[in-house]
Amino acid sequence: MDAANESSEGAPFILLGLTTSPGQQRPLFMLFLVLYVAGLLGNGLIVATIRASPALHAPMYFLLAHLSFADLCFTSVTVPKMLADLLAHDHSISFAGCLNQMYFFFALGVTDSCLLAVMAYDRYVAIRHPFHYATRMSWTMCTALVGTAWLVSHVHSLLHILLMARLSFCASHQVPHFFCDHQPLLRLSCSDTRHIQLLIFTEGAAVVVTPFLLILASYVAIAAAIICLPSASGRLRAMSTCGSHLAVVGLFYGTVIAVYFQPTSQYEAQQGRVATIMYTVVTPMLNPAIYNLWNHDVQGALRALFPRQRISASDF
């Protein structure tokens, strides 16, 4: 490794965070602390409920448990550091710590993306091919799909981190973000970043845009099946559920695509921070309510775990 890279590794980065205004830091700290705790409790509760309830030992809930676990870890990669920086004077993070944060952020983010696609396929098979569901979504198939999601995400992340580790940062080390992310770091680099940007637009598209298109195709097919339902109330309920799912999926993928699939020269720090909050904090918090707590089987399992409490989706 050359001297420039050695210098960049030795100098820490300074995360400028969400704001530099002292008057805004404590209100933001309280807001994101509440959102973070809500996400942890919601996702942790879903994982514990699915694992503890024999009635939920089915492929669909197996996938939901993995999504909740991935969301729980995903928010924990960036939010605790963000909360600490809102109160602390030292906002520094080492070069190695920056790469570690980026590795797990990308790995867990791509895992989320792949799991959402697998879940959409699961619902497609259940609605369009109910008589073949047991064979198409067997435990072997579910395990293989989930294992592939975790494997692909970590290979994707490792490839990006190996390339990022070779960059030199010979100018400012102040990162206009609340965590180490691709675009703001690329703008600080004095190395040639064209190969990394090419990787984002090619290999990155394979693990983000492709699952998004598969989800849209699955829900189009599901919507066609819902229209054929004989019960008007059943159609309304099913469309409401699909609509809420698509809203969260659109928020997640829309903000991810807006942040990463643009040239580094056009990246704007303020807009990037706002968009990043949507998929790092908001959607992981919403997923338990959207995918789990409106589900009658999950509500029944929660009542069994807390028999003295009357639990419904309106409680969350």
Side-chain angles (χ1 to χ4, degrees):
M1 186 174 293
D2 58 28
N5 269 332
E6 290 176 3
S7 175
S8 69
E9 288 184 10
F13 290 99
I14 307 298
L15 298 174
L16 299 182
L18 294 173
T19 180
T20 56
S21 172
Q24 296 178 356
Q25 289 176 346
R26 286 192 177 275
L28 286 174
F29 173 84
M30 295 304 300
L31 171 64
F32 286 105
L33 178 63
V34 170
L35 294 177
Y36 178 56
V37 171
L40 286 183
L41 291 177
N43 285 298
L45 182 62
I46 293 304
V47 173
T49 302
I50 292 175
R51 286 184 60 86
S53 176
L56 300 182
H57 290 177
M60 182 178 79
Y61 301 110
F62 175 73
L63 299 175
L64 290 173
H66 275 271
L67 178 68
S68 291
F69 178 72
D71 280 338
L72 190 154
C73 297
F74 185 49
T75 56
S76 297
V77 171
T78 59
V79 178
K81 174 63 176 171
M82 178 186 72
L83 293 174
D85 287 346
L86 284 170
L87 297 181
H89 295 290
D90 182 12
H91 297 176
S92 64
I93 182 171
S94 68
F95 185 71
C98 201
L99 292 179
N100 283 331
Q101 188 182 57
M102 289 179 66
Y103 175 85
F104 288 105
F105 177 78
F106 293 142
L108 291 164
V110 173
T111 300
D112 249 16
S113 174
C114 294
L115 287 175
L116 288 171
V118 173
M119 289 167 57
Y121 174 72
D122 171 76
R123 291 300 83 205
Y124 166 78
V125 174
I127 293 175
R128 295 302 301 261
H129 305 283
F131 298 111
H132 301 284
Y133 180 77
T135 54
R136 292 196 180 189
M137 292 302 295
S138 63
W139 279 110
T140 301
M141 177 59 72
C142 281
T143 303
L145 289 172
V146 169
T148 300
W150 285 99
L151 177 62
V152 167
S153 64
H154 281 275
V155 171
H156 162 85
S157 183
L158 180 61
L159 179 59
H160 280 263
I161 295 306
L162 290 175
L163 292 175
M164 293 292 294
R166 298 174 61 86
L167 297 180
S168 299
F169 299 91
C170 48
S172 171
H173 280 229
Q174 293 186 339
V175 182
H177 215 317
F178 60 88
F179 73 102
C180 293
D181 200 5
H182 253 149
Q183 295 286 30
L185 285 180
L186 290 178
R187 295 201 69 171
L188 296 179
S189 176
C190 54
S191 302
D192 184 359
T193 62
R194 287 176 297 179
H195 56 296
I196 297 181
Q197 294 187 55
L198 180 61
L199 184 68
I200 293 173
F201 281 100
T202 54
E203 189 264 349
V207 296
V208 174
V209 178
T210 301
F212 180 51
L213 294 177
L214 289 174
I215 291 171
L216 290 181
S218 296
Y219 275 104
V220 168
I222 290 171
I226 289 173
I227 293 173
C228 298
L229 290 176
S231 168
S233 61
R235 289 196 299 271
L236 182 62
R237 186 168 56 252
M239 289 299 292
S240 175
T241 301
C242 287
S244 60
H245 288 190
L246 281 175
V248 175
V249 166
L251 181 64
F252 177 80
Y253 283 102
T255 50
V256 167
I257 292 171
V259 170
Y260 294 107
F261 292 89
Q262 63 173 306
T264 301
S265 59
Q266 297 180 12
Y267 176 80
E268 295 185 10
Q270 180 62 33
Q271 295 179 1
R273 286 195 296 267
V274 173
T276 304
I277 287 171
M278 292 297 106
Y279 62 82
T280 58
V281 181
V282 176
T283 55
M285 182 197 67
L286 291 177
N287 278 341
I290 297 300
Y291 285 100
N292 297 282
L293 297 175
W294 287 100
N295 184 288
H296 293 296
D297 292 334
V298 174
Q299 290 183 28
L302 286 170
R303 293 190 189 98
L305 289 178
F306 304 99
R308 295 184 180 181
Q309 302 291 326
R310 182 177 178 82
I311 298 176
S312 66
S314 60
D315 297 326
F316 296 87

